[in-house]
Amino acid sequence: MRKYAIVFLCFFLFAFVIKESLFTVPEYFPLPVYDFSKNPLTENKILLGRTLFYEPMLSKNNTISCESCHSPFSAFTHIDHTLSHGIHDSIGTRNSPTLMNLAWQKYFMWDGAVNNLDMQALAPISHPFEMGSSINEVVEKLNASEKYRKLFYNAYGDNTATGEKTLKAISQFMLTLVSANSKYDKVMRKESNFTEQEANGYLLFKNNCASCHTEPLFTNGNFENNGLPMDLLLKDIGRMKVTSNKNDSLKFKVPSLRNIEYSYPYMHDGRFKKLSEVLNHYTNGIQPSKTLATQLKHGIQLSSNEKVDIITFLLTLSDKEFVFNPKFQYPK
Amino acid sequence: MNLLILLHLFFLNSFSQKLESVNISFAVVFKNNPIVLHDSTYNLHDGNSIKFETLKFYISNIQLFQNEVAVYTEQNSFHLIDVSDASSQNVFLKLANGISFNKIKFNLGIDSTTNVGGAMGGDLDPTKGMYWTWQSGYINFKMEGICNTCTDSKKNFEFHLGGYQYPFNPLQKVELKTTANSFKIILDLNKFFAIVDLEKQKHIMSPCADAVILSQQLAKCFSIK
């Protein structure tokens, strides 16, 4: 009996070690929101998901992949474009968000329309301005592909693609996109030190920004109206579109500031190209309204030197290892 | 070791127990006529006539009751009943021999926990066309068709009733009396269209107050035969 118990224990430890290397929670991070027990990570499933992420077959005419709007080198967003671009050169209505630390995210999309990471990919696949396809069409194409039949077999022990397996595999890859190796993280782990200017910026950040952009994820995960005047062409009411509740008018999900250096332009409609423009908005540009975030009711007061210090701190959130991680690139 | 023997006996015992089957078949009708997609025409109370193109809905959480005590609860109980697929209209329950019941309860639609639970397979797979893509949530009841006699230019009607978030959660509980081991559950859409004015309302495609009201009406359209 004891012998069996030892073998069993070894097996358990072994499984644990494997799992650890596929996804690690940094010590100073909260517990993930994603339920891994419903979709346990394996190397082959991650590889399938990664291949799907870079797969243009996900779009109607085989031209657009997830990577088209979520490139690894910009922390998985689309730089330079204010609004996302899709199939047939269509232009969407919002700025494509970064993809990182998704295991800690409860809601997806700027308005939180998607409630689970697994279901996220359905939206771009089906949107006429993004990929213009459907999950049925995608699954059909995957089942007709020798390459994918093999990848599905390796991942699931069955070479048939289904909607569930396809979406869960994409989730697996996205869950591995953990960014926790910026200078900020190294300082938190006491492997590095802030410069005087960075330290001052950090202090100012904690006093003025952190109630929404809360450490260590640099978002509190909530929906807030940050006082942007509404774009009169887009007329985007944000979260209210999902909840039909007028108290949610003009509220958008607070985005993480990690890798902000790489992920310009900023805001849900990409209206600001530079971080200085963003800070100028918070000091001088806030539009009062009923749903304005309470923290912004009196604006934020910062001198120009203080703004420079905050930006210097924000640059410590850049995680080069993350954006250049070969495990996240196109699978060869 | 004793524990293992006990466990062994327990499993032997539970496998040797005889199972009894309860067969339920679902039928969607209009008055007394079965719904036939694409071809048949059905006359509404207001004089309009309609055809159906798509008709499918979720039945979930099937339970059998004996005097308000649950005697059987189906595990993983999600059934997509699709008028275009005859095999989807039969549900077989396996319960231990000798269980008697006088009531069946089920939900019309998908509960909120399942709605936020991520990707699911089988009848819940998003390829079944019963999951919204632009906003998370299952469509509990999907009915599409044509009203050629309607006066406005757009003749097609689409009722996608679903969602899960307060205050627009349209999930409905249905209770019917039965003691038989084989029975038919009828959904009569004539009663549904009694409260719908297609001239005014043809399209519901997102969670809203009307979706809840129409779902409540649908729950009243079930009967047993």
Side-chain angles (χ1 to χ4, degrees), chain B residues 42-55:
Chain B
Y42 304 88
N43 296 319
L44 303 184
H45 64 289
D46 60 7
N48 278 317
S49 67
I50 56 170
K51 279 181 183 176
F52 294 98
E53 299 292 333
T54 305
L55 193 44

Side-chain angles (χ1 to χ4, degrees), chain A residues 1 38 107 109 113-116 118-120 122-123 126 135-136 139 162-165 167-168 239 241-244, chain B residues 1 4 115-122 125-129 131-138 164-165 167-168 207:
Chain A
M1 263 328 248
K38 285 185 182 158
Y107 298 102
M109 298 297 207
V114 174
N115 66 25
N116 190 298
D118 292 352
M119 301 331 240
Q120 170 61 39
L122 283 177
S126 318
I135 186 71
N136 303 54
V139 165
T162 66
E164 181 194 20
K165 288 183 203 163
L167 294 172
K168 280 189 163 166
R239 178 80 176 146
K241 193 171 165 233
V242 176
T243 61
S244 310
Chain B
M1 239 24 208
L4 275 179
N115 263 287
V116 299
M120 315 263 173
D125 195 289
T127 52
K128 298 286 179 186
Y131 197 90
W132 275 307
T133 58
W134 49 277
Q135 179 174 342
S136 293
Y138 279 97
Y164 63 97
Q165 273 173 312
F168 305 130

